[in-house]
Each structure stands twice: as C-alpha cells, then as structure tokens.
Amino acid sequence: MDLHAIAFDASGRLLAGTDVGVHRSDNAGNAWRSLNEGLSIAQFYPSVSIHPSDENFFLGGLQDNGTARRGSNGTWSRVLGADGGYTALHPDSPNILFSQTQHTGNLFKSTNGGKNFQDSSSGINSSDRDAFMCPTVFDPNDPNVLFYGTHRIYRSTNLGDSWSAISGDLTDGGPLAAIRAIAWAPSDSSIVYASTTDGKLLVGDDGGTQWTARLTDLGDWSRITRDITIAQWDVDTAYMGVPRFGVDQVLKTADRGESWTALDGDLPDIPVNAVDVHRSETGDIFLFIGTDRDVRISCDEGGHWTTLADADLPNTIVTEVRYQPDLERLVVATQGRGAGRVENAAPEEFSEICASNDDDDDGGEDDDDGDDGSENENGDTSDHDSGSDDDLSGCGCRSNPRRLPVGLVALSGIAAQLHRRRPRRAPSAQPPANRRTRSR
C-alpha cells in the first residue's frame, strides 16, 4: 500500500494516512489501530459497475484495496485483492461479473455474484502493454460478447471463456502506450471509440477491427479513464472529456470523430476524467462530467456548467459519473471520498437546477434553502456545518453550486468494513504465480 502522510498528534501518537485510510500507533509503529469507522474515503479507479435494477448494488476497483462489492443489504465486502481494476457486470444476469487486478491478463470471472472467481484470460497475451488496468466492457447489444483493451483490442464471444485479438496496436508503440478507455455505441455495435495513453482518440466502424485516428494531440495520460460516451440516439454523436490542464476539456463530435467542438463554456481550467450524457423524452440533453474537483452538469451542451456540490462530496477527484435514467439517479465514484449516488434525479430536476443557476448569474446569493449562513469568500451562503443529506455545501468553484431535491447519499462505511481485515488477495481468486504485479 502507499503511504500518503505521517504525523504525530498532540499526545505523541503516530498517525499514518495510507491507501487503507487513517491508522494510529500508540507504541511508535509496533502496532496500529484503524480510525476509519464511519469514513467514506475509498479511492476508486474508473472501474465501476452498477446494477440495472438493484439500487444498492455497487462494484468497483480500489487503489491498493482490491475489488469491493456493495450488496443489496448495503454491506461492503472485498471480492478480489491487490489493486482492483475495471469491472463488468452482465446486463441481463448480474450474478455474472468480471473483475481484475493490475496489468494485462489478470482478469477473473464470477458466476455467483462475486463469491468465487476463476481465471478468464485464455488467449490474452500477458506481455501486452497496459494502462496499469485494462478496460473491460460488454457489447451493449450482445451480452455474450466482451471487449478487453491492452495496446490492442481483444474480443470474447463466450462470456470470457476465451479471447482473441481483433485489432493491431492502436498506439504509436511507445513502451508505456496502451488503451485507456473503450466505448461501444449503445445502438450499433459496429461503432466503437478508444482513447490511448499517448494522446490518441480512434474510431472504428466495423466492430473494432479497423481503426482511424481522429485526434492525436490529447496529451499523455498513463491510467484508465471513463472519458468517452456515445449518444444513445445517434451513433455519429459522441462526447469526450480530456484529463489535462490548459486545453479544451469537453469535446463533442457529430460526425463520428471527423470534427470536434469544444463545450467548455464557462468551465474553469480543470481536467475532466469522466463524462456521461442523457437525452430526456422531451429532447433535452444533459451532460454530466467528473473533474479533478467536482461533479458538474450542463443543460445547454456546454454553454454553461453548474456544480453539483454536496455535504458528502467536498472537493475531490471524480473518476466516474454515470446517469441511470430507469432509476433516475446519478452515481459518482471518487479518488479519495468513496462513492455516492444522487436519488430522485429526474431530468426536470436538473432543468430546474440549471435554470436556477442562470437566475443567479447576476450575482445574487444562493439562498433557496432559507438558511442564514453568512456569505463566504466565494459569494455563496451554504451552511458548511450541516452534514445532512439535504444540505449541499459550496465548493469554491467558478459556477455557483446548486442544491438537489435530495442530496448525494454516501455509500459509506467501506473504509471501516474493508479495513478491519485486509487480506492481500481473496483466497478464491488466487491468480497463477507467473502473473505480473509490478507497479508504476
């Protein structure tokens, strides 16, 4: 595990902040006590799978803490060890799921909801380059088909029993160059996008066997992302986030990647790690992004961005943002503040939030909750002392944070539940001894 911080408290006790939370030693490091009860501080990679109907289920890979599953009863458990990577959940049979540990070939399949895993890497060359983890996604139109990204694309047509490479090297061949994200069109499996760690965005229109580089100057980013989403209503339209400073950070194409339009609007200069889009029955388009600081929404395709600030989601790196229209909820995963969901998030609520934010652009204070919090240096009047779900605190961002009808519900307790005992790898998921587990 990684050690992030170390200090002594006023009583001379040693405190350590690591990938597994906060611990204290009363005897100079000979023994440690967890201080994680009630904290939501997990570090999720872009790796999350959400259940099509069970709103409590949650599966995701964690930095140095394996793969964690939240069951229907709200209890977290570790189902795989090491660094937890991409996960994939069968859309029709959610007991079938895939998870991985770091680097190529360390892919595992469970047919009983994560109780046991077996190797699922037959046909994958373990010497392929990777982005520390390997994007793994289901074909949205055929749940028996999966895709897996290294520096090339693999496909399985038998639910991971075997794999075959269907593309060549999609990168420029550098020693660390690999695929960091894959997105298949929801309405047409022949259309696929991929981004690479050496700054390329490629589009395939024949199911992933032939590719055309549409962007080549996105900059290097060495880890996996969820930075591409393809519109459900139009295979030619896609949106992309760019996790860099000093560039256009939200992009849109309406011609399958031949040209791109920047949708940054009044977005500050901040990397965008994740993007999702939803079009309502009335035709309104809502863009959601996860940045290095917060979650934001645009109701006018990037003309204006509104921060969705919350008492349970302070400034933090957001690695996932996913909207589920059937459940009317927004799911968020972060690198350091665990995961959460916004319930009762119907499209009309977001429209109201955006409209309210437009009304505040003349400099008026955000006082729609009626509290009498004093104005802070950022010009909002949120009550930062309240920890209730209905209280959404200001974040000091460029856009005024807006309140949701129901706040972000933290999927909390993961730190305490997972860190009481921390096996390096679940006994039922031991990979072969020759698997690589190097770090970068």
Side-chain angles (χ1 to χ4, degrees):
M1 66 179 177
D2 299 315
L3 178 65
H4 299 286
I6 191 166
F8 288 95
D9 67 11
S11 300
R13 297 172 298 186
L14 186 60
L15 300 172
T18 73
D19 286 333
V20 297
V22 182
H23 290 75
R24 186 181 71 205
S25 175
D26 299 335
N27 54 10
N30 291 312
W32 293 89
R33 173 189 174 191
S34 172
L35 303 180
N36 296 304
E37 192 71 39
L39 297 181
S40 184
I41 52 176
Q43 300 168 289
F44 279 97
Y45 284 115
S47 63
V48 167
S49 293
I50 47 183
H51 198 283
S53 59
D54 184 350
E55 63 181 17
N56 288 314
F57 183 92
F58 194 91
L59 182 72
L62 299 166
Q63 164 70 26
D64 243 342
N65 277 274
T67 299
R69 180 192 62 199
R70 188 177 191 265
S72 298
N73 61 359
T75 300
W76 288 97
S77 61
R78 181 184 287 108
V79 296
L80 208 61
D83 279 284
Y86 244 75
T87 66
L89 191 70
H90 193 291
D92 299 327
S93 303
N95 276 334
I96 300 175
L97 57 90
F98 292 81
S99 187
Q100 62 183 272
T101 61
Q102 64 266 42
H103 298 304
T104 301
N106 293 326
L107 180 66
F108 304 94
K109 173 184 176 181
S110 174
T111 58
N112 56 11
K115 294 178 182 178
N116 303 97
F117 284 83
Q118 61 265 11
D119 180 82
S120 182
S121 63
S122 177
I124 297 174
N125 188 335
S126 62
S127 65
D128 278 12
R129 302 186 307 275
D130 56 69
F132 193 66
M133 302 297 178
C134 298
T136 307
V137 299
F138 274 95
D139 184 325
N141 303 293
D142 186 345
N144 292 314
V145 176
L146 291 99
F147 299 92
Y148 182 87
T150 60
H151 62 260
R152 51 185 166 174
I153 300 289
Y154 288 83
R155 178 174 60 200
S156 172
T157 58
N158 52 16
L159 278 177
D161 290 342
S162 62
W163 298 82
S164 58
I166 62 171
S167 80
D169 190 345
L170 298 189
T171 76
D172 287 335
L176 298 178
I179 296 166
R180 74 173 191 235
I182 308 171
W184 247 262
S187 59
D188 185 348
S189 298
S190 66
I191 308 301
V192 56
Y193 287 63
S195 58
T196 67
T197 61
D198 57 357
K200 297 170 67 177
L201 186 283
L202 304 100
V203 179
D205 57 8
D206 59 354
T209 58
Q210 300 294 323
W211 295 80
T212 301
R214 296 301 192 187
L215 296 171
T216 59
D217 57 352
L218 294 173
D220 297 347
W221 183 250
S222 62
R223 296 296 175 94
I224 54 174
T225 55
R226 290 271 199 182
D227 56 2
I228 310 168
T229 188
I230 304 173
Q232 292 193 1
W233 64 90
D234 181 8
V235 296
D236 293 330
T237 299
Y239 302 85
M240 183 177 187
V242 182
R244 292 181 59 201
F245 289 100
V247 298
D248 294 328
Q249 285 134 342
V250 186
L251 301 173
K252 175 189 176 181
T253 179
D255 52 15
R256 209 170 293 179
E258 291 189 15
S259 61
W260 294 83
T261 302
L263 305 182
D264 288 32
D266 57 359
L267 188 71
D269 183 16
I270 189 168
V272 173
N273 308 306
V275 60
D276 201 6
V277 64
H278 173 66
R279 188 173 74 166
S280 70
E281 294 180 355
T282 60
D284 295 320
I285 294 175
F286 303 94
L287 274 176
F288 307 91
I289 58 173
T291 78
D292 266 10
R293 190 165 62 190
D294 49 30
V295 177
R296 296 183 184 230
I297 181 175
S298 176
C299 302
D300 57 4
E301 291 209 281
H304 185 69
W305 291 94
T306 298
T307 303
L308 300 182
D310 189 276
D312 284 315
L313 186 64
N315 292 357
T316 189
I317 295 174
V318 178
T319 55
E320 291 261 13
V321 55
R322 310 269 288 281
Y323 184 68
Q324 278 188 290
D326 291 343
L327 297 179
E328 292 189 341
R329 69 171 185 167
L330 187 69
V331 177
V332 175
T334 76
Q335 186 75 18
R337 295 298 303 224
R341 61 178 185 250
V342 178
E343 305 288 7
N344 301 328
E348 55 268 24
E349 302 291 356
F350 289 119
S351 295
E352 186 175 318
I353 290 168
C354 291
S356 297
N357 192 74
D358 290 340
D359 291 342
D360 284 349
D361 282 345
D362 60 1
E365 295 178 354
D366 176 14
D367 58 1
D368 56 353
D369 64 340
D371 69 39
D372 58 354
S374 59
E375 181 176 335
N376 64 24
E377 63 182 2
N378 299 301
D380 71 87
T381 57
S382 301
D383 180 3
H384 291 260
D385 293 329
S386 173
S388 69
D389 285 339
D390 291 332
D391 177 56
L392 300 157
S393 303
C395 70
C397 303
R398 181 172 175 177
S399 300
N400 291 331
R402 298 303 307 172
R403 298 177 183 278
L404 292 172
V406 176
L408 185 140
V409 179
L411 303 180
S412 59
I414 184 171
Q417 292 180 41
L418 293 187
H419 301 159
R420 290 191 182 104
R421 280 183 284 176
R422 188 175 177 269
R424 187 59 189 166
R425 194 181 303 274
S428 59
Q430 289 284 355
N434 62 351
R435 292 295 171 79
R436 296 182 298 159
T437 56
R438 70 184 189 275
S439 297
R440 286 180 183 162

